């Protein structure tokens, strides 16, 4: 079976596709290719500057509050955290006991960890992206499932808040010689310190600048805290169990014990799949490398992690599955030391863990007609949907000379699957007005939504610029 990558540019000499919304013929031809090889593809965007953008909706204060200050991620965080604050205030007013507060601490830690577990994430995405029969407003709402990180961070901060209260109660019990042992208190204070470090270093501003350090701290201190939580639950159960009851019986009847069992299995699940796999590589250019894996399949809209050193760093890349071809690919673009080294010296084996996990582009099938926007290497997460051809997509790809950067074979494979794609060469024409260009394509294609894969500043600018004008727009939230 021929794959998209098998078709050369000569195959396009007479390819024509009529698009009712754009009108006319979109012809891809190599009859007159310039020195940079772009004449055959750099088209379809002309005239967008002549269109008028509609005014932003709502007043400035309310639209900024809705779309920026209190986006869905922060709303989920606030819902989880403020609910916990209300319950904590009630517990302080009415009074509570150390074991009960311990249960609430463990419940929040349990929620924070499980909402990030790969199989849970995939299940939630499946549930929320299944109801394509819903009205558009409902689909736009459930598509925000990719903001579930707000539940993770809200539960984690709430767990820390509750743990402070737990520490106070346990310390008071020790001073009154009621139940709490010195060992329990010692473990409690160490956990409190470690949680403070983990949460402090997870602040977005620090995490963006020191992402590798954040990952290391999050991983190793997280594992340490998990081990200490096991000790905490055992000591807490032993100190507060009924007289005459054995520790084994008390643990079997303890809800926190079983929550810790499940959350430990959740953490371990990703590492159970740790293995070193053989790969084949294809250097597309000095800027990009294509890597092929056969150890697993993947569906459009997922990503997987790879590493040279499993304990120290992991890098996530979108999976690119081609119908009829076993396995999936990654496109690795030059953005730092790790990617530069990989492109210059492609490995034959690499470490992988976990399973391909759903991400932002998994929401595409929720909509009947979608404008998919990629800037530069953002084409990688978009490519699987283009290849699958299960949703009506209008691809808009802005980049520097794409043939020089990504190679003829990959570019031709995209154009085979989407011959009416709109390509904008930033080398030849400079940077476009992205909001205006995307809105133009959205209206002409009569789309229901826009999905964009780009860098963080442009993604946030485009999503806000479109959402504030009533256009459903989706982009990554950079919460990890």
């Amino acid at each position: 079976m021929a794959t998209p990558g098998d078709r050369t540019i000569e195959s396009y000499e007479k390819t024509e596709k009529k698009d009712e919304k754009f009108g006319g013929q979109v012809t891809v031809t190599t009859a007159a290719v310039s020195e940079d090889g772009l004449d055959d593809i750099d088209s379809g965007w002309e005239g967008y500057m002549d269109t008028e953008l509609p005014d932003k909706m709502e007043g400035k204060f309310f639209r900024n509050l809705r779309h920026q200050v209190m986006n869905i991620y922060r709303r989920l965080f606030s819902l989880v955290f403020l609910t916990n604050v209300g319950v904590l205030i009630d517990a302080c007013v009415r009074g509570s006991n150390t074991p009960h507060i311990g249960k609430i601490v463990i419940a929040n830690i349990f929620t924070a960890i499980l909402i990030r577990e790969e199989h849970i994430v995939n299940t939630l995405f499946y549930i929320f992206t299944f109801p394509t029969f819903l009205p558009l407003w409902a689909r736009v709402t459930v598509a925000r499932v990719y903001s579930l990180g707000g539940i993770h961070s809200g539960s984690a901060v709430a767990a820390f808040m509750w743990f402070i209260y737990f520490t106070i109660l346990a310390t008071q019990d020790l001073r009154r010689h009621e139940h709490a042992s010195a060992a329990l208190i010692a473990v409690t204070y160490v956990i409190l310190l470690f949680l403070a470090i983990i949460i402090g270093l997870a602040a977005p501003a620090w995490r963006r600048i020191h992402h590798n350090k954040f990952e290391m701290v999050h991983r190793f201190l997280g594992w340490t805290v998990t081990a200490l939580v096991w000790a905490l639950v055992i000591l807490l159960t032993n100190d507060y169990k009924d007289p005459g009851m054995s520790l084994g019986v008390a643990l079997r009847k303890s809800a926190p014990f079983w929550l810790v069992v499940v959350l430990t299995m959740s953490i371990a699940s990703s590492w159970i799949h740790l293995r070193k796999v053989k790969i084949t590589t294809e250097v597309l250019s000095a800027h990009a490398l294509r890597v092929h894996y056969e150890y697993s399949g993947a569906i459009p809209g997922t990503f997987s992690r790879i590493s040279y050193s499993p304990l120290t760093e992991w890098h996530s890349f979108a999976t690119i599955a081609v119908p009829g071809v076993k396995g999936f690919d990654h496109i690795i673009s030059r953005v730092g030391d790790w990617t530069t080294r990989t492109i210059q010296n492609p490995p034959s084996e690499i470490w992988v863990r976990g399973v391909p996990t759903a991400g932002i582009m998994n929401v595409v099938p929720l909509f009947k007609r979608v404008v998919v926007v990629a800037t530069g290497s953002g084409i990688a997460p978009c490519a699987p949907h283009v290849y699958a051809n299960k949703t009506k997509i209008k691809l808009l790809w802005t980049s520097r000379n794409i043939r020089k950067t990504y190679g003829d074979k990959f570019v031709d494979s995209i154009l085979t699957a989407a011959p009416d794609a709109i390509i904008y060469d930033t080398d030849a024409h400079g940077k476009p007005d992205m909001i205006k260009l995307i809105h133009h394509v959205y209206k002409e294609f009569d789309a229901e939504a826009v999905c964009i894969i780009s860098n963080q500043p442009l993604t946030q600018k485009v999503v806000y610029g479109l959402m504030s004008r009533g256009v459903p727009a989706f982009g990554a939230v950079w919460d990890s």
Side-chain angles (χ1 to χ4, degrees):
M1 177 180 293
T3 69
D6 293 332
R7 194 171 182 181
T8 63
I9 193 63
E10 286 76 21
S11 304
Y12 288 93
E13 291 180 351
K14 296 183 180 179
T15 298
E16 293 185 345
K17 181 177 178 68
K18 186 170 183 179
D19 189 295
E20 294 177 356
K21 293 299 176 182
F22 277 85
Q25 301 289 332
V26 178
T27 303
V28 185
T29 176
T30 57
V33 181
S34 63
E35 291 182 3
D36 61 7
L38 289 172
D39 285 1
D40 62 321
I41 54 177
D42 184 19
S43 63
W45 50 266
E46 300 88 344
Y48 81 93
M49 288 299 291
D50 297 331
T51 61
E52 293 293 329
L53 272 176
D55 293 334
K56 294 177 180 178
M57 302 167 65
E58 304 173 319
K60 183 176 181 180
F61 175 81
F62 286 105
R63 70 168 179 263
N64 287 345
L65 179 66
R66 178 184 177 188
H67 299 300
Q68 292 185 317
V69 178
M70 289 303 293
N71 56 31
I72 299 297
Y73 179 95
R74 288 174 179 159
R75 290 181 216 173
L76 290 173
F77 174 94
S78 300
L79 176 64
V80 172
F81 181 71
L82 293 179
T83 299
N84 274 276
V85 169
V87 178
L88 176 60
I89 292 172
D90 181 73
C92 291
V93 172
R94 294 173 179 267
S96 189
N97 57 69
T98 305
H100 178 69
I101 300 304
K103 290 179 183 178
I104 299 176
V105 169
I106 301 300
N108 273 284
I109 295 175
F110 173 86
T111 303
I113 291 175
L114 250 70
I115 201 67
R116 286 295 204 191
E117 201 277 328
E118 294 157 347
H119 296 89
I120 299 293
V121 170
N122 287 344
T123 300
L124 288 172
F125 266 88
Y126 177 79
I127 292 172
F128 282 93
T129 59
F130 175 76
T132 56
F133 54 84
L134 294 176
L136 180 58
W137 68 266
R139 284 180 282 137
V140 170
T141 300
V142 299
R144 303 291 175 187
V145 62
Y146 62 85
S147 297
L148 52 79
I151 299 175
H152 165 78
S153 54
S155 298
V157 175
F160 179 67
M161 175 186 68
W162 279 106
F163 204 82
I164 293 173
Y165 186 42
F166 173 85
T167 303
I168 294 171
L169 293 182
T171 302
Q172 290 175 346
D173 287 349
L174 177 66
R175 288 177 176 174
R176 291 193 295 258
H177 304 288
E178 296 178 358
H179 301 291
S181 63
L184 173 65
I185 300 304
V187 170
T188 297
Y189 276 92
V190 173
I191 292 176
L192 186 64
L193 173 63
F194 286 173
L195 285 178
I197 293 172
I198 291 172
I199 291 174
L201 297 185
W206 196 92
R207 189 178 66 215
R208 280 195 297 269
I209 300 172
H210 307 284
H211 191 268
N212 287 341
K213 293 178 181 177
F214 157 74
E215 290 284 358
M216 291 277 286
V217 170
H218 219 63
R219 181 175 302 117
F220 288 108
L221 274 190
W223 289 347
T224 303
V225 168
T226 301
L228 289 172
V229 166
W230 269 103
L232 178 76
V233 168
I234 293 172
L235 289 169
L236 181 66
T237 304
N238 188 59
D239 290 350
Y240 290 85
K241 64 182 176 62
D242 293 335
M245 180 181 290
S246 69
L247 177 60
V249 172
L251 287 173
R252 287 199 300 271
K253 294 182 177 181
S254 167
F257 171 76
W258 293 110
L259 290 177
V260 174
V261 169
V262 175
L263 71 84
T264 303
M265 292 172 61
S266 172
I267 294 171
S269 66
S270 177
W271 294 90
I272 290 173
H273 293 96
L274 177 68
R275 56 205 178 281
K276 201 170 192 178
V277 299
K278 293 185 180 297
I279 59 175
T280 56
T281 59
E282 176 189 1
V283 178
L284 302 178
S285 69
H287 177 80
L289 176 75
R290 188 168 187 165
V291 183
H292 182 68
Y293 308 81
E294 292 192 354
Y295 75 93
S296 173
I299 63 172
T302 58
F303 66 89
S304 64
R305 302 176 180 89
I306 59 176
S307 175
Y308 293 130
S309 178
L311 291 179
T312 57
E313 63 175 344
W314 285 90
H315 300 268
S316 298
F317 295 92
T319 62
I320 304 175
V322 178
V325 178
K326 181 180 179 181
F328 63 88
D329 295 347
H330 285 156
I331 297 291
I332 298 177
S333 297
R334 185 193 296 269
V335 291
D337 293 341
W338 190 93
T339 53
T340 298
R341 184 172 79 250
T342 302
I343 293 169
Q344 292 176 344
N345 299 288
S348 59
E349 294 181 321
I350 204 160
W351 288 97
V352 300
R353 71 177 172 92
V355 296
T357 308
I360 170 65
M361 291 302 290
N362 201 259
V363 306
V364 168
L366 256 178
F367 304 100
K368 296 178 177 64
R369 297 175 70 87
V370 187
V371 174
V372 172
V373 182
T375 66
S377 56
I379 189 62
C382 305
H385 288 291
V386 174
Y387 292 153
N389 197 27
K390 293 182 178 179
T391 303
K392 291 182 179 179
I393 289 174
K394 173 63 71 174
L395 174 65
L396 169 60
W397 186 8
T398 70
S399 179
R400 302 180 64 182
N401 189 330
I402 65 171
R403 289 201 178 280
K404 181 179 179 181
T405 305
Y406 301 101
D408 287 339
K409 184 177 180 180
F410 178 69
V411 173
D412 293 346
S413 74
I414 294 295
L415 294 177
T416 302
D420 60 345
I422 297 174
I423 309 296
Y424 186 102
D425 176 38
T426 55
D427 270 353
H429 310 291
K431 293 183 179 180
D433 182 333
M434 287 297 290
I435 296 175
K436 201 166 191 177
L437 175 57
I438 295 169
H439 191 273
H440 171 75
V441 176
Y442 165 81
K443 294 298 289 185
E444 290 293 315
F445 189 59
D446 193 25
E448 288 188 332
V450 172
C451 291
I452 179 171
I453 301 295
S454 184
N455 56 61
Q456 186 172 359
L458 183 58
T459 297
Q460 292 175 340
K461 178 181 178 180
V462 167
V463 170
Y464 171 74
L466 295 176
M467 290 290 292
S468 62
R469 292 177 170 86
V471 177
F474 306 91
V477 293
W478 282 275
D479 64 331
S480 63

